[in-house]
Amino acid sequence: MAVNFMRLPYLTLAAGLMALAACSIVAAEPQNPAEITGGLRDTSNIPKEFIRRQGTRLVAGPGDQPVLLQGVCFGNQVWGNPKTPPATHHDEADFQRVRDMRMNVIRFYLNYALFEDDRAPYTYKPAGWEWLDRNIQWAKKHGIYLILNMHYPQGGFQSNGDGLALWDNSENQNRLTALYRAIAEHCRQEPTVAAYDLVNEPVVSKALEQWRSLAVRLTEAIRSVDRNHLIIVERLNAIKGQWKNDENMNFFLLNDANLMYTFHFYSPIEYSHQTTSWTGLPEDGSYPDPIIMPPSDTTWCGASFGNAVLPAGDTDWKEYVGEMFLAKDPKFMTAKPALVGASNHGSAWFGDFVVKEFDANRSLLRVLWATNVTSMKNASFWSKNKSGKCQLAPGAGPQGRSALEIQGTTDDSNYALNIYRFKVTPGHYYQLNGFMKGRQVSPGARCMFRLDFETSPSGGRIMTRNREYLAAELKQYLDWGKRNNVPLYVGEWGLFKRCFDEGKGGLNWVSDMMSLLTEAEVHFTYHTYHETGFGLYYYDSNTLPDPAKANTGLIKLFTQRPVK
């Protein structure tokens, strides 16, 4: 699974989710592919029953019939690092359920430990092959393709940045290469296997070249024994500590005729992953929603640093009037309030605040916001050195209203109120006033209200959370595919279960995504089938999928969708 929208230093998300952020979007030329020794130069000799690439399409069967892969992901409990095949994730009945939803493919997650023990490298477990063969036979019986995805390779799970040992320990790469060769040799004559999806959401330790080099090596190993199957290469998720995209959206090409390229899509991440424990994201709004959605490469470009600072020591509630800040930079696109609590061992509380807009003559035009912080929805705490904490303080504000407390920081920190983001008119003045209170505030601490101004390096447009926004986010990836004449596959997209609560609009988001992907003829697998938080069937108490614990609205939506 993967993460988007890191706008440093004002929005910090879990590492495994930041890779969806589009932090650098500029025009780019078609790429030159990296050479593969022994790679396929055309697909004409591949047996017709195998899925194969033809330009930007996939085809199969006599007459090269177009194939559009639409399906779901089987997680197979890989995150628990199982040593034996999972017995309670699914059985044969679940393949029929997938078929009943008019799906034709399952992205089938693998953990290397199902095939190989760390204590016995290069020795493969019979139980792993038996489990894989059993699932291939179930898939074949029910007319389903399998995409074999190495979701958890030797060296560790990649998505959260915890698998750097894959890149820094060459033996892990040796073992992964050998395992892929063994899997390819085992499956080389099986057309039910649609493709090998090399590594899920790679996060390298130094540079993109590490992933490109390994992808070349894995492809060569597969091609040494299997020249029939499609291979899927994922864009780079991140470089350690650097969650941003290059001009090619972190994609790269390999010089093999039977490749497809994949990305994952969870935009906007504040919505799709709201209340998930591993991100710490708070409750968010619904979909569609009039909330401002700036371009995904939005970045900080200025602030009202001249506002009053909370005095050291103990102080009671007092209103602090902010400076009249002239938004003179034509790049300013949006702004949002930030509550700064830098280098303060004590506590600072922030209460009622007002954001005002003035024209060029300093005449009041409107009050943009007049409120107090009543929740931590769509907001984020950032601390440069991870010191301190931020928390809601119900009833502690002026006249018993709520407030927000920042305490125990030893360096720069702030709390960004993303929900109060507003569009900026260059040449206008903006002012942020608010109430603050302090206890044991450190000498030299900077506790203050601040307006943070943002821009889009790509010149992107401000939107609201709707279908148009999703289309614009997808376009960044689709443009790369068109530019390089390759097929694209969204290997993961989906929503946390909270998004399907009444009034949250989860089904609206899924419906819009399905129609956009189908119209663009992009292959997809929804994340995921049977899992605690994202499942079509919610995982509980080590039992097989239970219709009584199903997201019935989502299953109905998939079943009744138009199919090309």
Side-chain angles (χ1 to χ4, degrees):
M1 230 170 359
V3 179
N4 93 6
F5 303 159
M6 183 182 184
R7 301 183 183 105
L8 286 174
Y10 303 99
L11 177 55
T12 302
L13 301 179
L17 295 175
M18 295 175 188
L20 294 180
C23 298
S24 176
I25 308 168
V26 297
E29 297 296 323
Q31 291 177 275
N32 293 320
E35 190 65 31
I36 295 174
T37 304
L40 292 182
R41 294 298 170 257
D42 63 68
T43 60
S44 59
N45 292 324
I46 297 176
K48 295 294 186 181
E49 61 267 27
F50 286 84
I51 287 182
R52 57 202 179 279
R53 174 191 167 193
Q54 191 177 83
T56 60
R57 303 187 307 166
L58 299 183
V59 300
D64 290 345
Q65 295 297 309
V67 175
L68 185 62
L69 297 173
Q70 295 185 328
V72 69
C73 302
F74 273 22
N76 295 324
Q77 302 170 14
V78 294
W79 303 280
N81 211 13
K83 306 302 181 184
T84 58
T88 59
H89 181 270
H90 66 271
D91 62 12
E92 182 181 350
D94 297 293
F95 285 84
Q96 183 59 51
R97 287 179 176 138
V98 171
R99 192 65 194 177
D100 289 344
M101 288 187 287
R102 300 188 298 161
M103 295 176 170
N104 61 1
V105 67
I106 292 169
R107 185 177 188 239
F108 199 73
Y109 294 3
L110 303 178
N111 185 313
Y112 81 93
L114 295 171
F115 298 91
E116 177 192 56
D117 283 330
D118 290 330
R119 293 173 297 180
Y122 308 104
T123 301
Y124 303 123
K125 305 175 184 178
W129 300 123
E130 292 166 4
W131 170 73
L132 181 59
D133 288 342
R134 184 164 60 251
N135 280 276
I136 290 173
Q137 292 308 308
W138 285 342
K140 182 182 296 186
K141 179 178 177 181
H142 295 282
I144 301 291
Y145 289 109
L146 292 184
I147 292 173
L148 303 185
N149 165 244
M150 189 57 68
H151 212 80
Y152 199 122
Q154 295 90 337
F157 182 53
Q158 295 292 298
S159 301
N160 296 327
D162 299 326
L164 297 181
L166 174 62
W167 313 101
D168 295 337
N169 183 337
S170 61
E171 182 62 8
N172 285 324
Q173 295 190 25
N174 295 341
R175 288 170 56 190
L176 177 60
T177 302
L179 177 57
Y180 249 120
R181 187 183 189 282
I183 291 172
E185 189 168 28
H186 189 84
C187 298
R188 67 185 185 278
Q189 299 297 336
E190 182 50 72
T192 299
V193 174
Y196 307 117
D197 185 351
L198 295 180
V199 175
N200 185 72
E201 296 181 354
V203 177
V204 297
S205 59
K206 297 180 179 67
L208 181 145
E209 185 56 39
Q210 290 176 288
W211 171 217
R212 178 166 29 217
S213 176
L214 180 58
V216 167
R217 186 178 176 189
L218 296 176
T219 301
E220 288 180 340
I222 291 168
R223 289 290 178 246
S224 71
V225 295
D226 182 352
R227 302 181 72 79
N228 294 331
H229 279 98
L230 183 71
I231 293 174
I232 297 173
V233 182
E234 186 162 345
R235 62 189 286 275
L236 181 69
N237 203 34
I239 300 170
K240 180 183 178 182
Q242 300 176 40
W243 303 87
K244 60 183 180 179
N245 296 332
D246 63 16
E247 67 274 12
N248 290 299
M249 299 301 291
N250 289 355
F251 285 109
F252 54 84
L253 295 174
L254 300 184
N255 195 8
D256 185 280
N258 205 25
L259 296 180
M260 181 163 67
Y261 297 86
T262 185
F263 63 99
H264 297 173
F265 193 89
Y266 292 99
S267 296
I269 197 71
E270 298 92 340
Y271 172 71
S272 69
H273 282 69
Q274 60 184 292
T275 73
T276 51
S277 59
W278 62 94
T279 67
L281 286 170
E283 181 79 16
D284 196 61
S286 59
Y287 178 92
D289 194 304
I291 185 173
I292 285 179
M293 299 303 301
S296 55
D297 65 335
T298 295
T299 186
W300 181 90
C301 64
S304 57
F305 290 114
N307 288 354
V309 175
L310 188 66
D314 296 342
T315 55
D316 204 350
W317 284 111
K318 175 184 175 183
E319 184 178 17
Y320 293 81
V321 178
E323 66 173 322
M324 295 274 285
F325 184 86
L326 175 61
K328 60 183 178 181
D329 191 329
K331 296 194 303 291
F332 287 172
M333 175 180 285
T334 55
K336 60 190 177 185
L339 314 180
V340 181
S343 303
N344 179 26
H345 292 277
S347 293
W349 286 269
F350 302 83
D352 302 355
F353 68 90
V354 178
V355 181
K356 299 178 180 180
E357 181 178 13
F358 302 81
D359 65 16
N361 297 316
R362 300 191 179 220
S363 297
L364 179 64
L365 290 174
R366 62 185 64 87
V367 174
L368 295 166
W369 296 106
T371 186
N372 61 323
V373 182
T374 58
S375 78
M376 301 182 79
K377 169 185 172 182
N378 197 14
S380 60
F381 178 60
W382 172 81
S383 172
K384 184 176 181 180
N385 63 3
K386 303 187 185 305
S387 65
K389 66 178 182 178
C390 180
Q391 60 190 8
L392 192 65
Q399 300 182 17
R401 291 187 287 272
S402 65
L404 191 114
E405 179 186 8
I406 299 176
Q407 63 171 265
T409 62
T410 58
D411 205 322
D412 195 12
S413 71
N414 63 74
Y415 185 70
L417 300 172
N418 305 297
I419 194 172
Y420 300 116
R421 182 181 273 117
F422 56 90
K423 185 177 180 180
V424 171
T425 300
H428 284 189
Y429 287 86
Y430 295 89
Q431 184 184 52
L432 172 57
N433 307 326
F435 284 80
M436 291 189 290
K437 167 185 170 181
R439 185 179 63 197
Q440 298 179 1
V441 173
S442 303
R446 288 188 62 80
C447 302
M448 59 186 287
F449 285 94
R450 187 179 72 199
L451 285 174
D452 287 333
F453 291 82
E454 303 164 314
T455 190
S456 165
S458 69
R461 294 190 299 124
I462 297 173
M463 297 184 180
T464 58
R465 186 183 290 175
N466 56 21
R467 189 178 190 276
E468 182 186 19
Y469 166 77
L470 295 181
E473 291 291 289
L474 281 169
K475 187 176 184 296
Q476 304 165 89
Y477 304 97
L478 303 187
D479 284 350
W480 180 87
K482 291 176 182 176
R483 190 164 64 242
N484 291 284
N485 195 42
V486 296
L488 291 179
Y489 162 52
V490 183
E492 291 182 26
W493 60 285
L495 297 176
F496 187 60
K497 61 185 178 181
R498 178 72 180 94
C499 300
F500 295 100
D501 288 353
E502 186 174 357
K504 299 294 286 185
L507 294 180
N508 296 327
W509 185 91
V510 173
S511 180
D512 282 350
M513 279 295 299
M514 275 199 298
S515 67
L516 288 167
L517 295 174
T518 302
E519 289 168 11
E521 297 187 343
V522 175
H523 310 273
F524 70 72
T525 43
Y526 183 87
H527 178 88
T528 180
Y529 181 76
H530 184 205
E531 195 233 78
T532 304
F534 278 73
L536 295 174
Y537 294 87
Y538 295 122
Y539 187 78
D540 183 38
S541 302
N542 295 313
T543 60
L544 286 164
D546 182 354
K549 298 172 182 175
N551 188 330
T552 55
L554 185 54
I555 291 171
K556 182 179 179 181
L557 183 62
F558 278 120
T559 303
Q560 296 181 351
R561 78 192 189 282
V563 177
K564 276 197 173 185

